[in-house]
């Protein structure tokens, strides 16, 4: 059994229309699936990805209209990275962020890679990371109809940063339960803090890393809008996912069992610091119920919700307008 890399990251928004505008118009991602939160079908679950919705490129959002603002802290997924093709692309993105008044820092380093740290309008903590020296998992294909030129486009998820108060139990899960290996460390941007630890799995590279930050000076995070709900890791198929279920159970790690998310099968568990991990299959994918050219254009419902379509569509607001200027 082998974790192949990052599968997706799922975050929280209070305003689906604003979220849609920012991630498609400003970041240039493709909305590959407009569906519902299966645990609350009255709100959206939006999936942004590369042109074909490749595993490892999905940034998803649950809409929770009354969610309070995230109070950053430990036991959290504190930064989601997005890959761009090279260092030159970061210069393009600086200009774009300035034009759209996106809160951002200047180009700096994320370990050995160049990066720009920035936030979306709800304070979601993000980074654009250069893929220039990536020798691991290849990125996806930027959307051909994106407002961002293809040579600068986002091509997938990069390293995910976890922030914890106690390094050891999270490191144990990554290295002794999952298939990550500690490969590097780099200085924190905050003076006086411990180095950030780099863990890699599978073929390695930008799309297969978890970065672990230790903060004993922060309270536990209060999750709300602008925060991340969980990170999912890639497994090959349902047979392998079932092997992982048995392995977690044998190691006395409570888990959800296999859940059908229609576009993939999933299994959830919390590591000891309380961060929610998911293991997800690469398939069957987002073209299961829509053709490639029209992904994300209509409300897609798994078959087990189809009999509620009329009721669900009456509640959801269209995404073609936005609340902020």
């Amino acid at each position: 059994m082998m974790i192949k890399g990052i599968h997706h990251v799922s975050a929280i928004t209070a305003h689906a229309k604003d979220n849609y505008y920012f991630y498609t118009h400003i970041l240039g991602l493709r909305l590959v699936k407009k569906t519902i939160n299966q645990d609350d079908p009255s709100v959206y679950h939006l999936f942004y990805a590369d042109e074909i919705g490749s595993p490892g490129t999905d940034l998803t959002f649950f809409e929770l209209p009354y969610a309070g603002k995230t109070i950053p802290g430990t036991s959290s997924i504190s930064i989601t990275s997005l890959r761009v093709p090279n260092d030159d692309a970061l210069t393009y993105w600086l200009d774009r962020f300035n034009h759209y008044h996106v809160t951002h820092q200047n180009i700096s380093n994320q370990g050995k890679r160049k990066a720009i740290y920035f936030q979306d309008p709800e304070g979601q903590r993000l980074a654009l990371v250069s893929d220039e020296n990536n020798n691991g998992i290849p990125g996806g294909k930027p959307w051909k109809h994106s407002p961002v030129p293809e040579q600068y486009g986002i091509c997938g998820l990069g390293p995910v940063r976890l922030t914890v108060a106690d390094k050891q139990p999270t490191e144990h899960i990554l290295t002794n339960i999952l298939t990550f290996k500690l490969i590097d460390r780099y200085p924190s941007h905050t003076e006086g803090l411990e180095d950030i630890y780099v863990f890699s799995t599978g073929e390695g590279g930008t799309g297969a890393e978890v970065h672990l930050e230790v903060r004993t000076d922060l309270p536990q995070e209060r999750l709300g809008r602008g925060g991340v709900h969980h990170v999912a890791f890639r497994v090959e198929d349902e047979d392998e996912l079932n092997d992982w279920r048995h392995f977690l159970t044998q190691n006395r790690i409570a888990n959800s069992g296999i859940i059908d998310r229609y576009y993939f099968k999933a299994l959830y568990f919390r590591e000891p610091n309380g961060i929610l991990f998911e293991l997800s299959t690469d398939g069957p994918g987002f073209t299961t119920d829509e053709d490639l050219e029209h992904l994300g254009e209509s409300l897609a419902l798994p078959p087990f919700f189809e009999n509620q379509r009329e009721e669900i569509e009456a509640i959801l607001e269209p995404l073609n307008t936005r609340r902020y200027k």
Side-chain angles (χ1 to χ4, degrees), residues 146-315:
S146 171
V148 174
E150 185 172 350
Q151 66 267 33
Y152 305 125
I154 293 169
C155 55
L157 291 170
V160 171
R161 182 184 294 181
L162 311 180
T163 297
V164 298
D166 184 0
K167 170 176 170 281
Q168 190 279 327
T170 300
E171 181 176 19
H172 169 74
I173 292 294
L174 291 172
T175 58
N176 294 332
I177 300 300
L178 303 180
T179 56
F180 287 85
K181 296 179 180 179
L182 178 62
I183 63 165
D184 202 1
R185 56 196 291 175
Y186 61 90
S188 168
H189 290 169
T190 304
E191 188 176 349
L193 293 184
E194 192 172 338
D195 284 352
I196 293 172
Y197 299 87
V198 179
F199 297 85
S200 180
T201 187
E203 296 178 29
T206 325
E209 289 180 3
V210 167
H211 294 189
L212 189 60
E213 176 186 45
V214 180
R215 297 290 298 266
T216 58
D217 58 324
L218 296 175
Q220 186 168 316
E221 179 163 295
R222 291 175 56 189
L223 182 61
R225 67 181 188 274
V228 176
H229 187 266
H230 66 266
V231 57
F233 302 115
R234 293 175 60 190
V235 302
E236 182 65 30
D237 53 30
E238 189 173 357
D239 287 341
E240 186 168 317
L241 186 63
N242 198 46
D243 291 340
W244 278 107
R245 181 180 66 83
H246 286 300
F247 182 68
L248 291 175
T249 301
Q250 287 169 0
N251 282 273
R252 299 182 179 181
I253 297 173
N255 63 85
S256 66
I258 296 176
I259 297 175
D260 186 359
R261 296 305 189 195
Y262 192 55
Y263 307 110
F264 49 86
K265 299 291 177 64
L267 179 155
Y268 301 83
F269 68 98
R270 290 192 184 274
E271 55 81 46
N273 276 301
I275 299 171
L276 184 60
F277 286 172
E278 176 183 340
L279 305 182
S280 297
T281 60
D282 275 357
F286 295 116
T287 56
T288 299
D289 56 356
E290 294 179 304
D291 67 80
L292 184 59
E293 289 300 312
H294 298 285
L295 289 177
E297 293 180 7
S298 301
L299 180 67
L301 296 177
F304 36 89
F305 280 100
E306 193 59 51
N307 64 343
Q308 302 176 48
R309 175 174 289 276
E310 185 175 346
E311 177 184 348
I312 291 170
E313 289 183 335
I315 295 172

